[in-house]
């Protein structure tokens, strides 16, 4: 396998990375209204680059092509049934890997770098949610040390809420 470089997204790369994320999002979630762009993407710099709890990583090949991405952003407490107010908590988001690089360890490499960044920033807890229709997602995140906290139905989707402590 060729050499892969994992780095934080830089300001001059935002436009390219956001376009990549939008493309991946449309492929994985064709049922969503893609005319509305999520706030984390419209305010990418503020969410991921200048926010003290934010981070967005990219994996690129030697030619500079994006092979995968992952981010973390400050958890916004939007699910009142999850109790994270007493912890420095971030939400793990936007893990997308090019199909030809799936099941080769790239997602895990990206996630491990993200965990290192979170620990360096004093984060105590990682939160994420996924969906049962994303084949293998629950099992993947469990292998990364996440535990299923609860299941809910939000906007017509079954949502699996998971977390992982970094301070234990």
């Amino acid at each position: 396998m060729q050499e892969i470089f994992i780095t934080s997204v830089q300001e001059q790369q935002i436009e390219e990375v956001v376009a990549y994320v939008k493309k991946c999002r449309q492929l994985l979630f064709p049922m969503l209204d893609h005319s509305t762009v999520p706030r984390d993407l419209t305010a990418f710099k503020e969410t991921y680059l200048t926010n003290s709890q934010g981070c967005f990583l990219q994996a690129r090949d030697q030619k500079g092509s994006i092979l995968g991405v992952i981010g973390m952003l400050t958890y916004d407490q939007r699910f009142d049934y999850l109790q994270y107010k007493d912890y420095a908590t971030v939400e793990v988001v936007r893990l997308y890997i090019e199909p030809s690089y799936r099941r080769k360890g790239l997602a895990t490499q990206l996630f491990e770098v993200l965990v290192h960044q979170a620990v360096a920033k004093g984060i105590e807890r990682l939160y994420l949610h996924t969906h049962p229709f994303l084949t293998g997602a629950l099992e993947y995140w469990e292998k990364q040390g996440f535990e299923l906290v609860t299941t809910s139905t939000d906007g017509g989707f079954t949502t699996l809420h998971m977390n992982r402590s970094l301070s234990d």
Side-chain angles (χ1 to χ4, degrees):
M1 188 185 276
Q2 65 182 332
E3 193 168 1
I4 295 172
F5 303 93
I6 297 175
T7 61
S8 295
V9 171
Q10 301 301 304
E11 190 169 352
Q12 68 273 16
Q13 298 169 316
I14 291 174
E15 187 177 327
E16 178 189 13
V17 170
V18 167
Y20 177 81
V21 169
K22 286 177 168 179
K23 178 191 78 164
C24 292
R25 187 172 175 265
Q26 287 176 343
L27 291 171
L28 279 176
F29 302 99
M31 70 294 282
L32 296 178
D33 174 11
H34 294 285
S35 65
T36 303
V37 179
R39 186 182 187 297
D40 70 304
L41 299 180
T42 60
F44 191 95
K45 181 179 175 182
E46 297 77 12
T47 302
Y48 297 111
L49 304 188
T50 60
N51 182 318
S52 64
Q53 291 187 327
C55 178
F56 207 91
L57 301 172
Q58 59 189 340
R60 292 183 183 254
D61 64 14
Q62 293 166 322
K63 295 178 185 174
S65 299
I66 299 173
L67 307 176
V69 296
I70 191 171
M72 70 179 183
L73 51 85
T74 303
Y75 177 65
D76 62 6
Q77 308 296 332
R78 70 188 176 283
F79 300 110
D80 58 6
Y81 45 86
L82 298 174
Q83 301 300 315
Y84 297 133
K85 289 182 174 90
D86 296 333
Y87 303 95
T89 303
V90 293
E91 183 171 355
V92 176
V93 295
R94 312 272 181 226
L95 175 59
Y96 300 120
I97 303 294
E98 284 297 299
S100 62
Y101 282 84
R102 292 180 189 157
R103 299 201 159 289
K104 295 182 179 179
L106 182 56
T108 299
Q109 285 180 295
L110 275 165
F111 178 67
E112 287 172 354
V113 174
L114 190 81
V115 168
H116 179 76
Q117 293 284 329
V119 169
K121 292 173 180 271
I123 303 303
E124 298 171 293
R125 186 166 304 262
L126 303 175
Y127 162 79
L128 65 82
H129 67 266
T130 189
H131 307 284
F133 68 83
L134 296 172
T135 305
L138 175 64
E139 294 80 8
Y140 171 78
W141 289 116
E142 287 176 334
K143 285 180 184 174
Q144 304 313 311
F146 281 81
E147 296 178 359
L148 180 63
V149 176
T150 191
T151 301
S152 66
T153 302
D154 304 289
F157 292 101
T158 299
T159 302
L160 309 172
H161 300 275
M162 307 181 79
N163 70 36
R164 174 181 163 180
S165 176
L166 296 178
S167 59
D168 294 338

